[in-house]
Amino acid sequence: MKNAAKNAFVTGFPIKQSKSPLIHGFWLNDLNIDGTYRAVELAEDGFSEFIAQLKSGDVEFEGGNVTMPFKEEAFQLVDERDAIAEKIGAVNTIYRKDGKLCGTNTDAYGFAANLDDLAPQWRPKSQNSSKAVVFGAGGASRAILFALIEAGFNEIALYNRTLSRAETLADEFGPSVTAYQIDGVDHGLKNADLFVNTSSLGMHGTPVPDLNFASMAEGAIATDIVYHPLKTKFLENADKQGIAIADGFGMLLHQAVPGFEHWFGARPKVTKTLRDKILNG
Ligand code: ATR
């Protein structure tokens, strides 16, 4: 007999470290839903075979999450992808719709929803005075640029060690984004309303440049998508200089919401209980 429970997966290589089973497991239990969410361990070259099985129905999943290094392959292999996935160039969430396998990317949503939670004043009040400084132009930076443009930032200064990567993104994202060499960040911070670190600097306490956050606009906010440690050195420095800070851990929790709703039909909430549980689990 067919199992009535709905099932979802997370896959990546490696996948053991993923917090996603804990997050979705918490919601399934909390909302009393008959479903499972589990990590699927694949070989590094096993993703296309897995997608073929999903398409043929050989594996019974409503959909799932895709993490490193399969996000770009997922982008190529799904039947359909939405506008956000197209812009970000990577798929982190797969779901079924009208018999097709659809791909989206929920990182931009997760980033914005985390700031809405921790620092709701982050959204520009006026299109004329909304400057953001983005540090880093790697894969993660795309979702952040998408979220900032959608929120209404009209001046986004993108700093990267490798200038050409920042220039490529600036070309793609249009006139609100300008690429700069990394050593000019202090100049860019003057009167900026928001600073976002999207680079891997500061992860596990590695050194970061000592930036002049104090020159940012009144009421400015600094945030970091790195959340190991929770208060990164960028955030520590900004805090010492009197700038409001918002850690990036909630991005991980919020980016999981749309997928859960697609697979299990209920929209879960990111609560303090969930945050504490995942932080300590
Ligand atoms: P992700 O997909 O997680 O963003 P990535 O594509 O490797 O990872 O990008 C990492 C980002 O951190 C890039 O902006 C990278 O700068 P480069 O494009 O010049 O490589 C940045 N980064 C990593 N180590 C850095 C360092 N030591 N100094 C400055 N920037 C660094």
Side-chain angles (χ1 to χ4, degrees):
M1 208 175 86
K2 226 174 160 179
N3 188 353
K6 292 181 170 175
N7 307 307
F9 64 84
V10 58
T11 191
F13 183 84
I15 196 57
K16 283 195 182 72
Q17 80 297 344
S18 173
K19 300 260 190 214
S20 294
L22 275 178
I23 299 169
H24 291 281
F26 176 92
W27 283 331
L28 284 170
N29 186 47
D30 197 47
L31 295 167
N32 204 13
I33 289 173
D34 184 14
T36 69
Y37 181 100
R38 63 184 175 86
V40 172
E41 184 102 51
L42 296 175
E44 207 169 355
D45 60 356
F47 188 70
S48 59
E49 172 65 24
F50 180 64
I51 288 284
Q53 289 173 341
L54 278 176
K55 285 185 181 175
S56 67
D58 284 352
V59 285
E60 273 189 36
F61 287 112
E62 301 301 317
N65 287 123
V66 179
T67 182
M68 298 252 288
F70 300 138
K71 289 190 201 184
E72 285 77 20
E73 222 178 325
F75 177 82
Q76 298 296 340
L77 295 175
V78 289
D79 297 318
E80 273 178 10
R81 50 212 180 203
D82 65 8
I84 298 184
E86 289 288 349
K87 196 78 191 170
I88 297 175
V91 156
N92 75 347
T93 302
I94 292 176
Y95 58 97
R96 294 185 192 275
K97 194 175 131 200
D98 304 330
K100 289 192 171 140
L101 221 48
C102 304
T104 185
N105 191 304
T106 63
D107 285 338
Y109 167 81
F111 172 77
N114 181 47
L115 285 184
D116 283 342
D117 244 13
L118 300 184
Q121 72 281 19
W122 78 281
R123 288 184 183 270
K125 278 152 218 73
S126 138
Q127 289 263 333
N128 299 324
S129 61
S130 51
K131 180 178 180 189
V133 169
V134 175
F135 189 94
S141 182
R142 290 173 169 271
I144 307 308
L145 293 176
F146 185 95
L148 295 180
I149 291 168
E150 200 177 64
F153 282 90
N154 67 337
E155 193 185 340
I156 302 170
L158 177 61
Y159 290 85
N160 200 47
R161 177 179 58 181
T162 311
L163 181 61
S164 58
R165 282 184 102 183
E167 285 171 340
T168 303
L169 287 188
D171 282 349
E172 270 178 49
F173 280 86
S176 50
V177 182
T178 310
Y180 295 100
Q181 192 61 255
I182 203 165
D183 46 18
V185 189
D186 269 342
H187 181 73
L189 282 172
K190 272 182 207 145
N191 296 319
D193 303 288
L194 182 69
F195 169 86
V196 189
N197 176 41
T198 73
S199 80
S200 49
L201 287 193
M203 200 177 279
H204 306 300
T206 51
V208 305
D210 199 2
L211 301 179
N212 184 16
F213 292 104
S215 71
M216 292 179 79
E218 202 185 325
I221 298 160
T223 187
D224 198 329
I225 70 163
V226 173
Y227 55 81
H228 279 301
L230 215 47
K231 191 170 182 180
T232 62
K233 288 198 175 137
F234 277 124
L235 296 185
E236 217 175 276
N237 291 343
D239 190 23
K240 275 188 202 144
Q241 294 176 52
I243 301 297
I245 59 169
D247 72 71
F249 189 69
M251 183 175 163
L252 172 74
L253 306 175
H254 283 284
Q255 65 77 30
V257 169
F260 189 96
E261 189 175 18
H262 277 302
W263 312 316
F264 301 116
R267 193 164 181 89
K269 285 202 164 59
V270 172
T271 58
K272 188 173 181 317
T273 313
L274 172 71
R275 183 182 158 99
D276 290 346
K277 182 147 185 140
I278 306 305
L279 268 175
N280 300 323

